[in-house]
Amino acid sequence: MEKFASPGKGNGLRLLRPVKPGELLYRAEPLAYVVTKKRLGGVCERCLSSKKQLLRCSQCKVARYCDAHCQKEAWQDHRRECKCIKSVEPNFPPDSVRLVGRIVFKILGQTPCPSEKLYSFSDLKSNTEDLNEEMKEGLGHLATTLLLYLKVEIHDASQLPPTLDIFQTFAKVTCNSFSISNGEMQGVGVGLYPSMSLLNNSCDPNCVIIFEGPQLHLRSIREIQKGEELTISYVETMMLTSERQQHLKRQYCFECDCLMCHTKSKDADMLAGDEKAWKEAKEVINKMGAPKSKEEWEQVLLMCQTFLRNNSSQLPDTNIYQLKVLDLAMDACINLGLLEEALSYGNRTLEPYRFYYSGFHPLRAVQLMRVAKLQYSQEMFSQALETLKQAYDIMKVTHGTEHSLVHDLMMLKEDCEAGLLSE
């Protein structure tokens, strides 16, 4: 790969040789990363693995680790922020403040970072000239919060590197950071990978980014020719064109001109069916919040069941709001142990997922694997094996055969085969 001037987009990345689908094009450790606030205590601060029992930092009592090895590996990043976290308790900084704090300590320590090979932190664009006043005011508040957070380690701004502008740094982080997801595409952290900020957006991209812990993997998902620009999707593509454009404009300060945005190719399908019914579905989704307790999940399931029963003939399952209700109902049933009912909802999502996430898309692979797990729970071993085969055919391209999620898939496949033999 090489950096080049992409017409109308600033910098970009392009290939120096042709590649096929499924090739690992780049592997990068982050310049800095943090666990998101809502996942604190549930994942290891070093490897981002989810575990029920984690060791706790004895000083700040916030950071959690798999074991002594992960804690030792993470100490270089946590050493100075540990005092900062302790100094502001019982409050806790926003994710962006904690991340920028780590970036500041990294710059002060002059620690070299391989992920700056093609593009360094100082090269990153801040787009401050394109921000509206509300965004600028918000970044100003974050800058003030950061100085208070760092005060125990950095007593005043004069101790910061002279070339480091805190406001500009927050602006850079806002439009260049990556949401770090686990293998199942659930967000667990946020990190900065400067060289990967060269990747431009397309709502129909030729590459995908997958994470293995905090390590970023850039993989091709179609044939790409020598000299062709590499693209990823910055946003969820199962959104209306207007909503995608609004999100891209607000966070990244540009309007997408990809073919999918020009043609609005799937917008009509996304809103198919009775308008009153899909607006009601949208309201149901917006009311959900983030359920945790059994009672909250029971309430979610009841709302989903009521909506689906009352609107059974009004909306096709390809309507994006109907599909989101089905996903929510499936999640609620899984959390409540109602696996047979969860499977009934999961089965209904597979065709819409195939339609919206055509080709090699990690979200479709993950959904297929979730449904296969439910089929296995109901001793539907042959159906589960067929579903796993479909998931594997996608994952070997999007994740690669060595990814931990693919290993989990192969273990489930072995369990299904053992179940068939025992019948």
Side-chain angles (χ1 to χ4, degrees):
M1 293 187 303
E2 67 174 359
K3 182 177 80 168
F4 79 112
S6 179
K9 298 178 181 178
N11 292 308
L13 278 178
R14 65 184 176 192
L15 284 176
L16 295 173
R17 63 174 179 84
V19 299
K20 294 181 178 179
E23 289 198 39
L24 178 62
L25 304 178
Y26 195 81
R27 192 195 307 256
E29 297 291 342
L31 171 69
Y33 69 103
V34 295
V35 172
T36 58
K37 202 170 179 178
K38 69 178 184 179
R39 298 302 291 262
L40 279 175
V43 298
C44 173
E45 294 269 340
R46 172 66 189 94
C47 69
L48 303 182
S49 296
S50 299
K51 288 188 178 179
K52 289 185 179 178
Q53 296 295 325
L54 293 166
L55 300 179
R56 186 174 70 172
C57 173
S58 60
Q59 298 300 310
C60 68
K61 296 180 171 53
V62 171
R64 299 286 205 281
Y65 304 98
C66 289
D67 49 35
H69 173 74
C70 273
Q71 188 165 12
K72 184 179 178 181
E73 288 281 308
W75 181 241
Q76 188 62 36
D77 286 332
H78 183 59
R79 181 175 62 86
R80 296 187 71 177
E81 75 158 10
C82 186
K83 293 178 184 177
C84 300
I85 292 171
K86 196 175 178 183
S87 72
V88 297
E89 63 181 2
N91 298 316
F92 194 81
D95 295 338
S96 58
V97 168
R98 190 180 175 203
L99 179 61
V100 171
R102 285 195 166 195
I103 292 168
V104 168
F105 292 138
K106 205 88 157 195
I107 292 171
L108 286 171
Q110 297 183 324
T111 311
C113 179
S115 69
E116 293 184 285
K117 183 179 179 182
L118 296 170
Y119 209 53
S120 70
F121 175 76
S122 61
D123 292 327
L124 294 176
K125 304 301 179 188
S126 62
N127 296 324
T128 49
E129 66 280 3
D130 295 321
L131 297 176
N132 60 39
E133 289 306 312
E134 182 188 352
M135 289 285 285
K136 288 179 181 177
E137 186 179 344
L139 293 179
H141 286 315
L142 289 172
T144 303
T145 303
L146 177 76
L147 293 176
L148 292 170
Y149 169 66
L150 296 179
K151 200 167 186 178
V152 69
E153 280 287 313
I154 299 173
H155 304 303
D156 60 67
S158 66
Q159 292 178 284
L160 293 169
T163 57
L164 186 71
D165 183 306
I166 294 298
F167 181 85
Q168 291 283 335
T169 299
F170 272 105
K172 287 182 178 185
V173 165
T174 298
C175 57
N176 289 285
S177 59
F178 286 82
S179 175
I180 302 173
S181 56
N182 59 19
E184 295 185 352
M185 307 303 287
Q186 299 164 330
V188 292
V190 59
L192 198 64
Y193 304 78
S195 291
M196 291 295 92
S197 293
L198 288 167
L199 290 162
N200 283 314
N201 173 77
S202 170
C203 300
D204 185 20
N206 54 24
C207 293
V208 67
I209 281 176
I210 295 291
F211 293 89
E212 184 74 281
Q215 190 178 75
L216 178 152
H217 294 181
L218 176 69
R219 305 187 69 90
S220 57
I221 54 172
R222 61 180 61 159
E223 284 194 8
I224 311 173
Q225 302 306 311
K226 178 182 176 181
E228 188 176 345
E229 181 169 11
L230 303 177
T231 57
I232 58 170
S233 180
Y234 289 5
V235 295
E236 162 64 69
T237 53
M238 196 170 65
M239 292 168 63
L240 293 167
T241 302
S242 58
E243 292 178 1
R244 291 199 309 275
Q245 293 280 14
Q246 187 178 17
H247 185 99
L248 290 167
K249 185 70 175 175
R250 178 173 175 79
Q251 184 164 356
Y252 303 102
C253 304
F254 73 88
E255 292 181 3
C256 182
D257 62 352
C258 75
L259 182 62
M260 189 170 166
C261 284
H262 273 304
T263 60
K264 301 181 180 180
S265 58
K266 294 182 178 178
D267 281 17
D269 299 287
M270 291 181 185
L271 295 182
D274 183 73
E275 182 177 352
K276 183 181 176 183
W278 65 251
K279 284 185 174 178
E280 184 185 338
K282 191 175 180 180
E283 285 179 21
V284 169
I285 295 157
N286 291 336
K287 287 178 184 176
M288 291 307 175
K292 293 179 181 178
S293 67
K294 180 184 177 184
E295 291 73 20
E296 288 172 335
W297 278 115
E298 285 174 341
Q299 188 177 2
V300 167
L301 180 57
L302 180 60
M303 289 177 71
C304 292
Q305 288 171 328
T306 303
F307 172 81
L308 292 168
R309 183 172 57 250
N310 293 344
N311 295 279
S312 59
S313 61
Q314 302 299 309
L315 297 174
D317 290 343
T318 48
N319 179 287
I320 55 171
Y321 301 114
Q322 168 97 340
L323 181 54
K324 287 174 182 177
V325 171
L326 289 169
D327 262 330
L328 271 171
M330 179 183 171
D331 288 342
C333 287
I334 290 171
N335 279 278
L336 294 169
L338 305 172
L339 301 187
E340 185 177 0
E341 187 176 350
L343 178 58
S344 70
Y345 296 125
N347 280 332
R348 289 175 64 179
T349 68
L350 293 184
E351 180 55 29
Y353 267 70
R354 185 200 63 76
F355 177 71
Y356 288 118
Y357 301 127
S358 56
F360 298 107
H361 200 295
L363 285 175
R364 183 177 172 226
V366 167
Q367 189 75 348
L368 284 162
M369 189 169 170
R370 293 180 77 209
V371 169
K373 287 179 182 177
L374 293 170
Q375 291 169 330
Y376 172 76
S377 75
Q378 302 304 300
E379 299 186 355
M380 300 166 64
F381 303 123
S382 59
Q383 293 96 320
L385 282 170
E386 176 54 35
T387 307
L388 286 172
K389 181 182 181 302
Q390 293 179 55
Y392 178 78
D393 287 344
I394 299 170
M395 275 189 203
K396 67 184 180 184
V397 171
T398 58
H399 290 67
T401 56
E402 297 305 310
H403 195 280
S404 57
L405 188 65
V406 178
H407 291 169
D408 292 344
L409 184 150
M410 298 309 291
M411 288 175 65
L412 181 58
K413 178 175 176 285
E414 289 174 11
D415 290 341
C416 290
E417 289 167 344
L420 271 179
L421 290 172
S422 65
E423 285 183 341

